[in-house]
Each structure stands twice: as structure tokens, then as C-alpha cells.
């Protein structure tokens, strides 16, 4: 029975539809098509832009539209539109956000992918825009939307921070009752932010919380706030900061709440994938099942729309380019209707895409995917029959070293000219293989191949673990065990690669210089005589020494293929058979391989001119693959990164969208899927259980992949600090020195402590007015960037201003224009005092705020800087005009750049 879903949501939908008129085009005339992030909130059914300093702040009572435009090398711009639904937002606002999303998609030409996001269940892609976390604020814009200046200190709020990879911070009541032992809390008082770490929180969570606190300070306060950190299990070590906490929250009575368990993560991979055809019938939406996994691209018809359901974890809508305008416009509404009909949670992720603008995730669910007009590129893989054929482009080794992205695409660290050493597993121990037989691998054996090469005069190692198809389980286990022993001898430097017989990676072929022969069975162990198995047939693939191998196949006529070279070895003769479809280069490599395989006389046999004894040796003439060459290009799939962790008590994998080197967590194992191979990256602080489980999980990941992946895909084991270019090339701007001085939690905390020693965070308790009335301060409330004035219990503390310019304490009746907490500074910290008082250091800087002449900051050593200037944040002391002139970007855009890019701009400007 086909499910039928009501197509429209009655009067409400009609009301929203009337919004789609020409007047609304004005809304989009200010939409920038430049790469970057743009955000709007829905206010009185209109799209209102959110200022950049408020990005990452979301009011629970609102809906938002988020547009992200990417500039991709070679493929131009891509865009993603998300509409975010707050937990307490109204149906009208949700409907308006959906309509505007569809309208914005049409305005941008229909190419963006649309996503529906629900508070607390955001997609990894959405979260990737806000690397330091999402902040959920109470209230909404119903009381009026306000653009707020960056330097606003009239704030008192408590943020409950959760998450290790994807951080969320939710406003909770400013009370000790809100705390628990397992999470982290930020007490934000405008000019002071105190981070309290639950005694059961881990180091990674603490680091992410510090980064969030710094992000609030830098974006919302213009860098003018002090941050202090309290370890919840060692509160006595931070007496001054605890005075602040007590002044605001009162004395703590009773024990803290127990830790709240983290939410169970969604399964990364749902194998139950189904494709449905969606169409209208008498005003009802009909959803008809078309196919289950593995899916193929030819199931999608350009004149129709489809829903792809990934086991209920996500719903994707595909709109054919020839489907009707009405169908395309209704896509989001149909997806939500489908979710209701299936009784899926309202938080289910929804993606809507047009033909030609499919998301990487969508393509990953299909067994093969070919882009229109896709052309052959470097390292392109072709499949003929069952064995992949690699069309290798001549390359320069130095170019591979200089361009890791080329090394990654080619799957080549060099041209295979390094040193090679081979061992075979014999009686579960290592036995060296005679170099004269290097390149000969038997299906009954396991081998270890250590490859040594140099980059920048440094030794690099790759350890290949080759597993024969007929090797025993004990031998395979011993191979892995001995690999660990070799790895230990080289202090963990080798990159380990699991190679399954017949699935040898490109570089493995290259190191044997066109002499790689894979025997189906038997052993290469000395003294073991293989029984006479009669004639043997080998298929030769390759055009040069870098990409050639010979694979033993059944000695039957049906094994032949008109596109290849074959070697038939009998007791008396070695036949060199050339198929009509093979090239001159392939014939040359076939001849070279025949000399390795046999010392006997060679007889060249052209297809169609075979002597009778040739067919007799193969058991008689029989049909074989004789179609003219059909080269099928393997699709270039986008790489995907996953975090493998058991920090929450059980092993789990979580995807990281829009990944960068900074997403590689030193405490975890990360899985990078480039489709042709799997990388397991092991952080220096990853525990042994995670490392062990990562191997098993990578095998399970391949086995359960909905696109029917090859379970023998090569798996490469990489350790932090020893990454080969085939791995680093998948990351933009890899920094090889990152691991020598990264921002660990301890380092960041020490840095903050140093700052606090200059400007202690204190509260003048003698002047504090502890007002416990629930109504809070008269005329209270606060303005936070990106949202309204929202009432909040500003009840616990009223603090004096202790600045030298005003020795008289502020009266409680004075209008609250002063900060909610003041800083006590050492007499020598004149520059920091100017920060607190908002003074201007240089009249020439123009405008209010504290600015310095750039000449005082440029190319100066830390000792040459004005007293109190933080040498790591010199850009904070520039006026907006000087900032833009020196760094070539606006302050808000600079803050959204990754850290390495910020540092690069600062170095070029002389501010580092």
C-alpha cells in the first residue's frame, strides 16, 4: 500500500505562499555571493540579517536561515542553505523560514543543497561552521530585534557547556542548582568569564570550553574580557575566582548533581537505505518504493522527484532538473510530511538537493556516481572486467613532495625508488626473503614489506602487510604481531598499510618496478615443493614500471580478455598472448614480465592466430570477454573524516564535516575515507582500546557501507607526527609543525593564568548588593549579540567600579551602564586599565575604543611592545581601519578564519 500524505498544511501554508511575490526579491538583493557565512533570523515574517559577531548564537524561540558559500578548487562555488528551528519557535516562523529557504535557493539558481536543522540535532555540516560551538539563548525576537555593539558588558548569564567534538552551550538559571559534576559551566559577567570544570569532565571537553570562552571574549567583547578557570575538584586552588562565583551565586548548599550522561550518538552509517519515487495523485502526495541498497545512479529520472531514506537517520530529497516547478517548490514540505507519515522524530535531518548539485553524503550512498562531463584526471582509475586498471600519468617526484594534494590524488608518496626489505611469515616468525625473488607473492603466505624513502633529508617508512588469500588465520595474526615489532624498532615511525591479495595499492606496484607477480596459491618458502599443477595462466595489467602487475587466474580459455596481455606457462613453453585491445606499452610490459616468470622460450601469440596446442593447454577453446574496451571511470568521491572514541564509555564513530587538520584529536583515532583507501590516524594520546577497536571498526565500516564497498579496500595506519603526503594531501594547508607546539588544554590554561596574574578577576564584596529577589535589577535584562533584550534574573550581585578614574563606588541606583564585574589591576598595567575604562591610547587612531599606532606593534619583539600588550594578539589593539589595511580583511571575517590562516596573515603583516 502506497502511503499518501497531505500535500499542504492548510491555511498556514497558503499564507506563507503569498509571501512569495516580487517584493520579496528585495530581501535577496543584499545577499552576497562571495565565499563565507551569512545568517538571518525571522522577525515579523521578514528575514533580518544577524551581525557577524553574533554568529553561533541562536535564540530558542527563533528560526534562522544560514547560507554558506564555498570556493572549491577547479569546481567553482558551491552553496548550502540551512534553516534552523528553535525548540520554542512558532509554527508561523518555521513556515516562513522554509519558504524563504526555498525562495533563496531559487534566487541562487537552484544549485544549493537545502538542510532542515532542529535545535539540539544539527547536522555535522551545520556544526562545522561554528568550530568553537553553538550557544542556545533563552527567549526570541518577539520583543524586537536589536543590533548590538561588540563591546557590551551589561551581561550576567550561566552557560551549560556539553560536548567534546561538537560543543553546545545552553543558557540555564544562574544558580548552583544548575551545576553538575560531569559538565562545564561558564559564568559570563561581561568583562569577566569564569569557567568551572566539573570534576568528572575530561581534558578535551575542558579545551573546547576554553576555546568557546575565548571566542565569546574575542567576538562579543572585542577581546576585552578576562577569563579564569576553576577545576571543580580543586576549588581551593582558585580562592579568588571562587569568591567571584560565591558573590554571584551565593554560598553553595548541599552536594552537586551527579553527571548527566551524554546523549547516545546517532549511528554513523545506516545500512537500511531505500529510494522512493514521490508524485502527486488527486491532491495527495504518493511515496512509492523504487529500490533498496546498493543504489545506482540510473535509478534517478530527471523528470521526477525522489526521497532517499537512510534508515530514518536522515531524509534526502532529490529534484530532477525536468520536474515541475511546483514539485521542486514543494520539496521541503513533502520531506516533513514524509517524516510525519513514518512517525520519525521531528528532529530528523532533511536535505533537499537539485540534480547536478547533490551533496557528498548523497553520492556516498550510491555504488557509483558519475558527474556530467567528468573528464579523466591525474591518477584516474579505470575498471575493465574485475581488476582495476590504473591510467598513470608521468609525474615528477619533487612535485609530489611540493604538492601533497597531488600525492593524495595519485596515492603515491614517491616513484618507488626507495629501499625495500621483504620478510615472509614462517612458523609465525619473520624470515628474510632473498632479494632475487622480491616481487613474487604467493597466496599461501603472508609478507611484510618495509619501504624506506626520504623527504627533506628525513627518513620515512611505510610497512605493508600483505595477506595471502590462502594463508592461515594464525599466519595473518602473526603478520600483524610482527608488524608491531618492526614498528617498535623504528619508534613508531612507519605508516602501516594492510594489503589484501589482489587489491595492492598503486605505490605497492611501483616499488617492484614492473616485476610484481601474484601467485594464486602455494608458498615461496624454501624447500617446499609445490605440486605440479599443470599449465598456469597470468593476466598482465600495466603500461610502465610504476603500475604493472601479473595476477594468476584460472588456466581456462574463459579467463582471457581481449583488452589485456596474458602469459600461459606450460612445461615446454611460455606463450605471450596479446589481445586485440591492448596497447603497445602493455605489450612491452608483458614481454618484460614474461622474462621474470619464465626462463623458457617465449612464443608470441596474437589473438585470433592461436596454435592448437595453446587451446589444448587451456582445456579447449571457449568464449571469453571479447567486447571492445569499455573503460569505466571510477567516480571521485569526496573524502570523509570520522572520530573514533570511547571517551563516553563505549566505542563510537562520529563524522566531522568540512574537516581540517585541527579536527584531528590527539586523544582519539580518526578514520579518513577517501573511497579508494581507508586511513586510520592515531593521536599520541589515544588509548590502546580505541586503537585496537579502530581496526575492527574500519572493517565493519566497509562491510556495512550502504554502497556495497569492497571489504578488501586497503587500510593505512598512520601515527601522529608521521603522516605521509598521501594522507596530508587531503587536508588544506597541512602544518607539519603543528604537533610540536599545539594548543593543549594545559597550555591554554597556563596562558590564561598568566593573563589573570596581570589583571586579577575580583568582585568588591564590601560594596556588593546581594539582592536575592527573583525580580532582579530594576529595569534589568541584558542585550546579547544577535537578539533581543531578554529578561534575566540579575539578582545576586551589584558590583562597584574600582577603576582609578572613579574612586567612588557606583551607587546601586546608578543606571546599569557599568560592567557587571570590575577588574583589579596592578598599578603598572596602564594599558589593561585603558581596556577596562574604554579609553583611547592614540588620538590619531580615531573613534572610541582603545587603539594603538600600528608602528608600535609591527615587527616588534615582545620586549619592545608597549607595557601590557599581549604579543599573541597584537591585532586586537588596531583600529578597524588599520586592521583592514594591514590584514586585508575585516575584523569579523578574520575571526571566522582557521587559526593557521589567521597566523599566516599576521606573519605577513608583521603582527606575529
Amino acid at each position: 500500500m502506497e502511503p499518501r500524505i497531505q500535500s499542504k498544511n492548510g491555511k498556514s501554508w497558503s499564507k506563507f505562499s503569498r509571501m512569495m511575490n516580487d517584493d520579496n526579491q528585495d530581501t535577496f538583493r543584499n545577499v552576497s555571493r562571495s565565499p563565507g557565512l551569512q545568517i538571518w533570523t525571522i522577525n515579523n515574517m521578514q528575514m533580518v540579517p544577524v551581525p557577524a559577531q553574533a554568529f553561533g548564537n541562536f535564540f530558542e524561540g527563533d528560526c534562522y536561515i544560514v547560507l554558506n558559500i564555498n570556493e572549491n578548487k577547479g569546481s567553482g562555488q558551491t552553496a548550502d542553505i540551512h534553516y534552523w528551528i528553535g525548540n520554542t519557535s512558532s509554527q508561523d516562523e518555521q513556515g516562513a523560514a522554509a519558504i524563504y529557504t526555498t525562495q533563496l535557493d531559487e534566487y541562487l539558481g537552484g544549485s544549493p543543497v537545502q538542510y532542515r536543522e532542529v535545535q539540539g540535532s544539527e547536522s555535522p555540516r551545520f556544526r562545522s561552521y561554528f568550530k568553537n560551538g553553538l550557544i542556545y539563548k533563552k527567549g526570541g525576537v518577539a520583543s524586537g530585534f536589536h543590533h548590538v555593539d561588540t563591546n557590551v558588558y551589561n551581561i550576567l548569564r550561566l552557560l551549560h557547556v556539553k560536548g567534546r567534538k561538537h560543543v553546545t552551550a545552553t543558557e540555564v538559571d544562574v544558580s548552583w542548582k544548575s551545576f553538575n559534576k560531569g559538565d562545564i559551566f561558564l559564568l559570563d559577567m561581561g568583562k569577566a568569564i569564569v569557567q568551572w570544570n566539573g570534576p568528572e569532565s575530561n581534558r578535551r571537553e575542558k579545551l573546547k570550553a576554553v576555546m568557546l570562552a575565548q571566542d565569546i571574549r574575542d567576538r562579543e567583547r572585542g577581546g576585552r574580557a578576562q577569563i579564569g578557570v576553576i577545576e571543580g575538584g580543586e576549588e581551593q586552588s582558585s580562592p579568588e575566582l571562587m569568591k567571584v562565583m560565591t558573590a554571584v551565586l551565593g554560598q553553595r548548599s548541599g552536594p552537586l548533581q551527579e553527571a548527566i550522561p551524554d546523549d547516545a550518538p546517532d549511528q554513523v552509517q545506516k545500512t537500511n537505505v531505500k529510494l522512493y519515487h514521490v508524485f502527486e495523485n488527486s491532491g495527495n502526495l504518493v511515496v512509492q518504493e523504487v529500490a533498496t541498497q546498493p543504489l545506482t545512479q540510473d535509478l534517478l529520472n530527471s523528470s521526477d522527484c525522489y526521497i532517499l531514506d537512510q534508515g530514518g537517520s536522515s531524509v534526502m530529497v532529490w529534484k530532477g532538473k525536468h520536474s515541475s516547478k511546483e514539485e521542486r517548490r514543494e520539496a521541503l514540505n513533502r520531506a516533513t510530511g514524509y517524516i510525519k507519515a513514518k512517525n520519525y522524530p521531528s528532529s530528523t535531518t532533511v536535505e533537499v538537493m537539485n540534480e547536478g548539485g547533490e551533496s557528498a553524503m548523497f553520492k556516498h550512498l550510491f555504488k557509483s556516481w558519475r558527474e556530467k562531463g567528468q573528464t579523466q584526471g591525474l591518477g584516474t582509475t579505470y575498471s575493465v572486467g574485475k581488476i582495476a586498471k590504473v591510467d598513470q600519468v608521468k609525474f615528477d617526484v619533487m612535485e609530489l613532495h611540493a604538492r601533497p594534494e597531488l600525492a593524495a590524488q595519485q596515492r603515491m608518496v614517491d616513484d618507488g625508488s626507495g629501499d625495500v626489505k621483504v620478510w615472509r611469515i614462517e612458523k609465525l616468525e619473520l624470515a628474510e626473503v632473498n632479494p632475487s625473488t622480491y616481487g613474487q607473492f604467493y597466496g599461501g603466505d603472508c609478507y611484510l614489506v618495509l619501504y624506506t624513502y626520504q623527504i627533506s633529508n628525513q627518513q620515512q617508512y611505510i610497512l605493508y602487510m600483505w595477506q595471502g588469500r590462502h594463508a592461515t588465520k594464525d599466519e595473518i595474526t602473526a603478520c600483524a604481531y610482527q608488524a608491531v615489532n618492526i614498528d617498535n624498532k623504528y619508534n613508531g615511525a612507519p605508516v602501516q598499510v594492510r594489503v589484501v591479495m589482489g587489491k595492492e595499492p598503486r605505490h605497492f606496484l611501483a616499488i617492484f618496478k614492473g616485476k610484481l607477480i601474484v601467485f594464486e596459491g602455494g608458498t615461496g618458502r624454501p624447500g617446499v615443493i609445490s605440486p605440479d599443477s599443470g599449465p598456469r595462466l597470468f593476466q598482465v595489467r600495466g603500461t610502465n614500471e610504476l603500475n604493472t602487475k601479473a595476477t594468476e587466474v584460472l588456466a581456462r580459455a574463459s579467463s582471457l580478455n581481449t583488452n589485456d596481455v596474458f602469459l600461459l606457462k606450460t612445461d615446454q613453453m611460455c606463450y605471450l598472448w596479446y589481445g586485440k585491445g591492448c596497447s603497445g606499452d602493455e605489450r612491452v610490459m608483458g614481454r618484460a614480465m614474461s622474462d621474470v616468470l619464465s626462463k623458457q622460450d617465449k612464443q608470441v601469440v596474437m589473438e585470433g592466430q592461436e596454435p592448437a596446442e595453446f587451446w589444448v593447454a587451456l582445456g579447449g577453446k571457449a568464449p571469453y570477454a571479447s567486447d571492445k574496451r569499455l573503460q569505466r571511470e571510477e567516480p571521485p568521491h569526496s573524502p570523509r573524516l570520522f572520530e573514533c572514541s570511547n571517551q563516553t564509555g563505549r566505542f563510537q564513530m562520529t563524522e566531522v564535516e568540512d574537516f581540517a587538520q585541527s579536527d584531528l584529536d590527539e586523544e582519539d583515532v580518526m578514520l579518513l575515507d577517501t573511497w579508494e583507501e581507508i586511513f586510520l590516524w592515531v593521536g599520541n594520546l589515544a588509548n590502546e582500546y580505541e586503537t585496537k577497536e579502530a581496526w575492527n571498526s574500519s572493517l565493519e565500516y566497509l562491510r556495512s557501507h550502504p554502497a556495497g564497498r569492497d571489504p578488501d579496500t586497503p587500510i593505512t595506519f598512520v601515527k601522529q607526527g608521521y603522516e605521509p603526503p598521501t594522507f596530508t594531501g587531503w587536508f588544506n594547508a597541512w602544518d607539519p609543525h603543528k604537533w610540536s607546539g599545539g594548543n593543549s588544554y594545559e597550555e591554554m590554561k597556563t596562558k590564561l593564568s598568566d593573563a589573570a596574574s596581570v589583571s586579577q578577576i575580583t568582585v568588591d564584596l564590601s560594596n556588593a548588593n546581594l539582592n536575592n529577589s527573583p525580580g532582579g535589577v530594576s529595569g534589568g535584562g541584558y542585550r546579547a549579540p544577535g537578539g533581543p533584550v531578554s529578561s534575566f534574573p540579575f539578582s545576586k550581585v551589584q558590583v562597584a567600579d574600582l577603576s582609578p578614574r572613579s574612586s567612588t563606588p557606583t551607587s546601586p541606583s546608578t543606571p546599569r551602564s557599568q560592567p557587571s564585574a570590575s577588574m583589579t589591576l596592578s598599578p603598572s598595567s596602564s594599558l589593561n586599565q585603558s581596556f577596562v575604562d574604554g579609553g583611547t591610547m592614540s588620538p590619531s587612531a580615531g573613534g572610541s575604543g582603545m587603539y594603538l599606532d600600528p608602528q608600535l606593534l609591527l615587527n616588534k619583539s615582545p620586549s619592545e611592545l608597549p607595557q601590557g600588550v599581549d604579543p599573541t594578539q597584537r591585532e586586537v589593539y588596531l583600529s578597524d581601519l588599520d586592521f583592514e589595511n594591514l590584514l586585508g580583511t575585516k575584523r569579523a571575517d578574520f575571526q571566522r578564519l582557521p587559526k593557521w590562516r589567521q597566523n599566516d596573515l599576521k606573519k605577513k603583516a608583521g603582527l606575529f
Side-chain angles (χ1 to χ4, degrees):
M1 185 84 179
E2 298 166 355
R4 295 177 182 271
I5 305 166
Q6 187 175 349
S7 179
K8 296 181 175 61
N9 191 14
K11 296 178 181 178
S12 295
W13 191 261
S14 299
K15 179 176 69 176
F16 300 142
S17 296
R18 287 197 297 273
M19 294 165 51
M20 303 191 65
N21 54 48
D22 294 337
D23 293 341
N24 280 315
Q25 292 305 310
D26 292 337
T27 304
F28 304 120
R29 290 207 173 101
N30 293 323
V31 172
S32 172
R33 294 177 185 262
S34 300
L37 199 64
Q38 299 168 73
I39 303 179
W40 298 265
T41 189
I42 303 300
N43 186 9
N44 293 325
M45 299 301 170
Q46 298 297 316
M47 280 175 61
V48 180
V50 173
Q53 70 263 31
F55 286 4
N57 292 278
F58 293 89
F59 282 86
E60 296 179 336
D62 292 338
C63 291
Y64 292 79
I65 294 172
V66 176
L67 169 64
N68 186 59
I69 298 178
N70 272 316
E71 189 74 56
N72 299 318
K73 287 181 182 176
S75 58
Q77 288 188 345
T78 59
D80 296 289
I81 306 173
H82 307 252
Y83 80 98
W84 184 91
I85 299 171
N87 283 343
T88 58
S89 61
S90 70
Q91 288 293 326
D92 282 0
E93 287 175 322
Q94 293 176 25
I99 284 290
Y100 276 123
T101 298
T102 302
Q103 202 174 7
L104 180 57
D105 175 70
E106 290 180 358
Y107 178 77
L108 294 172
S111 61
V113 178
Q114 303 167 45
Y115 299 81
R116 173 179 174 270
E117 310 283 356
V118 177
Q119 180 182 339
S121 302
E122 295 86 357
S123 66
R125 175 165 292 277
F126 184 85
R127 290 176 179 270
S128 72
Y129 306 146
F130 311 101
K131 292 291 187 186
N132 290 317
L134 300 172
I135 299 176
Y136 300 142
K137 295 172 176 287
K138 291 185 175 181
V141 298
S143 57
F145 185 83
H146 296 269
H147 286 200
V148 182
D149 294 332
T150 312
N151 304 326
V152 174
Y153 307 114
N154 190 15
I155 290 175
L156 177 63
R157 61 178 177 175
L158 182 64
L159 296 174
H160 178 191
V161 183
K162 283 185 74 69
R164 300 177 60 256
K165 182 63 67 176
H166 300 305
V167 174
T168 58
T170 306
E171 281 189 9
V172 291
D173 290 339
V174 184
S175 164
W176 282 115
K177 293 180 182 177
S178 299
F179 286 67
N180 70 67
K181 296 178 182 177
D183 293 326
I184 294 168
F185 294 81
L186 299 181
L187 181 61
D188 183 1
M189 300 167 289
K191 282 194 175 175
I193 301 172
V194 179
Q195 174 175 329
W196 183 91
N197 298 327
E200 295 176 24
S201 59
N202 63 47
R203 202 162 59 89
R204 178 69 179 176
E205 291 170 327
K206 295 174 184 178
L207 173 62
K208 296 297 284 188
V210 165
M211 293 171 69
L212 176 62
Q214 290 182 327
D215 188 52
I216 292 171
R217 175 195 66 191
D218 296 340
R219 280 195 302 115
E220 297 188 18
R221 315 287 149 73
R224 307 177 193 184
Q226 298 290 344
I227 301 172
V229 180
I230 299 174
E231 298 297 341
E234 305 169 12
E235 292 179 342
Q236 67 280 4
S237 301
S238 308
E240 293 300 314
L241 292 175
M242 280 307 297
K243 285 181 183 177
V244 176
M245 297 279 286
T246 304
V248 176
L249 302 169
Q251 288 292 340
R252 189 166 65 215
S253 59
L256 292 166
Q257 295 182 57
E258 293 301 315
I260 301 171
D262 289 322
D263 294 333
D266 293 333
Q267 292 296 316
V268 170
Q269 190 162 275
K270 299 284 188 179
T271 55
N272 184 23
V273 175
K274 292 186 177 181
L275 184 68
Y276 297 90
H277 176 209
V278 185
F279 58 94
E280 289 277 354
N281 186 358
S282 303
N284 290 324
L285 180 67
V286 179
V287 181
Q288 186 174 26
E289 184 175 320
V290 175
T292 58
Q293 83 283 352
L295 304 176
T296 54
Q297 191 177 1
D298 57 8
L299 292 168
L300 302 172
N301 189 323
S302 293
S303 60
D304 294 322
C305 290
Y306 297 84
I307 284 179
L308 192 152
D309 184 350
Q310 193 180 6
S313 64
S314 69
V315 171
M316 304 178 185
V317 181
W318 184 89
K319 302 182 287 184
K321 60 186 175 185
H322 298 309
S323 57
S324 70
K325 187 175 182 180
E326 183 64 22
E327 281 184 308
R328 293 198 299 273
R329 187 170 280 184
E330 290 287 321
L332 267 175
N333 191 40
R334 288 178 175 177
T336 52
Y338 174 81
I339 287 171
K340 289 176 183 175
K342 284 283 192 176
N343 290 320
Y344 289 159
S346 60
S347 59
T348 302
T349 303
V350 175
E351 291 182 29
V352 179
M353 64 207 75
N354 288 286
E355 181 177 357
E358 296 85 0
S359 67
M361 180 55 145
F362 185 82
K363 295 174 190 174
H364 257 263
L365 297 175
F366 286 76
K367 191 162 183 66
S368 62
W369 190 276
R370 186 183 178 87
E371 304 291 354
K372 185 179 179 182
Q374 187 171 301
T375 56
Q376 176 183 336
L378 289 172
T380 304
T381 302
Y382 292 88
S383 293
V384 183
K386 293 182 180 178
I387 300 178
K389 190 181 195 70
V390 179
D391 187 27
Q392 201 79 36
V393 179
K394 186 72 176 174
F395 57 80
D396 180 357
V397 177
M398 292 307 295
E399 189 175 9
L400 284 182
H401 293 178
R403 294 176 56 201
E405 71 276 9
L406 185 64
Q409 292 161 8
Q410 290 276 22
R411 273 82 178 178
M412 299 284 281
V413 297
D414 66 357
D415 60 357
S417 59
D419 296 327
V420 183
K421 190 167 186 180
V422 183
W423 297 270
R424 183 172 38 245
I425 301 297
E426 295 181 12
K427 297 180 181 178
L428 309 186
E429 297 294 332
L430 285 178
E432 290 192 25
V433 171
N434 188 324
S436 65
T437 62
Y438 277 9
Q440 298 176 28
F441 292 84
Y442 291 83
D445 289 330
C446 286
Y447 299 82
L448 288 172
V449 178
L450 181 66
Y451 181 76
T452 307
Y453 65 106
Q454 285 196 336
I455 294 181
S456 303
N457 296 320
Q458 281 195 329
Q459 294 276 76
Q460 311 285 335
Y461 308 94
I462 302 176
L463 183 60
Y464 292 101
M465 298 170 280
W466 192 92
Q467 301 172 0
R469 187 177 292 120
H470 306 293
T472 66
K473 193 170 184 180
D474 285 347
E475 287 171 329
I476 292 174
T477 302
C479 184
Y481 174 76
Q482 296 295 349
V484 172
N485 289 340
I486 294 176
D487 184 72
N488 289 337
K489 286 181 182 177
Y490 289 89
N491 298 317
V495 171
Q496 299 177 43
V497 185
R498 182 199 72 150
V499 179
V500 175
M501 173 179 168
K503 302 297 170 64
E504 292 78 15
R506 302 179 192 184
H507 185 258
F508 190 83
L509 305 185
I511 63 180
F512 294 106
K513 308 292 189 300
K515 298 178 180 179
L516 176 60
I517 302 174
V518 178
F519 296 92
E520 173 59 30
T523 177
R525 295 170 212 163
V528 178
I529 301 174
S530 298
D532 184 12
S533 56
R536 305 181 80 168
L537 183 65
F538 297 84
Q539 183 176 27
V540 182
R541 285 273 173 83
T543 56
N544 56 51
E545 288 189 348
L546 296 178
N547 64 10
T548 298
K549 74 171 176 177
T551 306
E552 185 173 6
V553 294
L554 280 174
R556 297 285 182 267
S558 58
S559 298
L560 297 173
N561 187 315
T562 192
N563 297 312
D564 294 315
V565 174
F566 284 80
L567 301 175
L568 176 60
K569 188 174 182 295
T570 68
D571 291 338
Q572 296 80 27
M573 182 68 70
C574 181
Y575 295 98
L576 193 56
W577 185 85
Y578 293 145
K580 291 178 181 177
C582 65
S583 68
D585 288 340
E586 289 171 321
R587 295 181 187 188
V588 169
M589 294 312 300
R591 166 68 75 176
M593 191 67 78
S594 70
D595 292 338
V596 178
L597 189 65
S598 173
K599 303 302 179 190
Q600 299 167 308
D601 292 336
K602 313 296 188 306
Q603 180 177 344
V604 173
V605 176
M606 305 301 291
E607 183 181 3
Q609 302 174 23
E610 299 87 353
E613 53 268 26
F614 177 85
W615 294 119
V616 169
L618 290 176
K621 196 170 184 179
Y624 59 86
S626 57
D627 295 338
K628 59 184 178 181
R629 187 183 298 261
L630 293 173
Q631 296 185 336
R632 181 174 62 82
E633 187 173 352
E634 286 293 337
H637 285 82
S638 300
R640 299 171 69 190
L641 182 70
F642 298 87
E643 177 190 38
C644 310
S645 171
N646 74 331
Q647 295 282 351
T648 58
R650 66 185 185 85
F651 190 85
Q652 63 192 57
M653 286 174 63
T654 309
E655 183 162 10
V656 181
E657 279 272 7
D658 191 26
F659 60 84
Q661 184 184 2
S662 58
D663 291 309
L664 297 175
D665 189 338
E666 295 184 78
E667 294 185 359
D668 287 328
V669 175
M670 312 294 289
L671 184 149
L672 178 67
D673 178 7
T674 68
W675 197 268
E676 197 167 315
E677 61 188 316
I678 301 289
F679 289 95
L680 286 173
W681 181 91
V682 182
N684 287 337
L685 303 177
N687 63 47
E688 187 176 343
Y689 176 78
E690 288 171 345
T691 306
K692 180 182 176 183
E693 280 301 300
W695 277 104
N696 298 330
S697 292
S698 60
L699 294 171
E700 176 62 18
Y701 172 80
L702 286 170
R703 187 197 67 76
S704 63
H705 199 287
R709 296 283 289 281
D710 184 347
D712 293 336
T713 298
I715 298 173
T716 300
F717 196 75
V718 179
K719 290 192 182 141
Q720 178 183 335
Y722 299 101
E723 298 85 356
T726 45
F727 177 81
T728 63
W730 297 105
F731 295 78
N732 284 329
W734 181 273
D735 178 5
H737 305 296
K738 174 179 171 59
W739 310 128
S740 61
N743 287 327
S744 70
Y745 168 67
E746 285 76 14
E747 288 167 334
M748 293 184 78
K749 184 180 174 184
T750 301
K751 211 170 172 183
L752 291 172
S753 298
D754 291 343
S757 67
V758 177
S759 300
Q760 299 280 319
I761 302 172
T762 64
V763 185
D764 183 13
L765 296 177
S766 61
N767 289 301
N769 175 22
L770 298 179
N771 177 2
N772 291 311
S773 65
V777 178
S778 174
Y782 70 97
R783 296 186 179 188
V789 175
S790 179
S791 61
F792 203 89
F794 229 124
S795 57
K796 297 283 186 176
V797 63
Q798 183 78 12
V799 191
D801 182 358
L802 301 179
S803 68
R805 297 184 183 181
S806 174
S807 58
T808 306
T810 306
S811 165
S813 61
T814 304
R816 290 191 60 84
S817 59
Q818 294 298 326
S820 57
S822 60
M823 308 296 134
T824 299
L825 300 110
S826 60
S828 62
S829 301
S830 57
L831 179 61
N832 290 74
Q833 186 58 55
S834 296
F835 256 114
V836 175
D837 296 334
T840 303
M841 293 296 294
S842 168
S844 63
S848 60
M850 199 293 302
Y851 305 132
L852 289 175
D853 188 315
Q855 298 309 314
L856 297 172
L857 305 170
L858 292 174
N859 301 311
K860 303 288 186 187
S861 67
S863 61
E864 295 175 314
L865 292 171
Q867 190 172 13
V869 167
D870 182 349
T872 66
Q873 288 193 308
R874 306 180 195 209
E875 70 280 5
V876 169
Y877 305 85
L878 294 170
S879 70
D880 288 346
L881 183 61
D882 288 336
F883 188 101
E884 201 164 338
N885 287 338
L886 286 169
L887 293 163
T889 180
K890 292 181 179 178
R891 201 182 298 268
D893 294 334
F894 177 82
Q895 293 293 350
R896 294 201 297 273
L897 294 173
K899 202 69 182 173
W900 67 265
R901 179 66 177 141
Q902 291 182 4
N903 290 339
D904 186 49
L905 290 175
K906 285 160 65 173
K907 285 175 185 174
K908 290 176 180 175
L911 290 165
F912 196 77

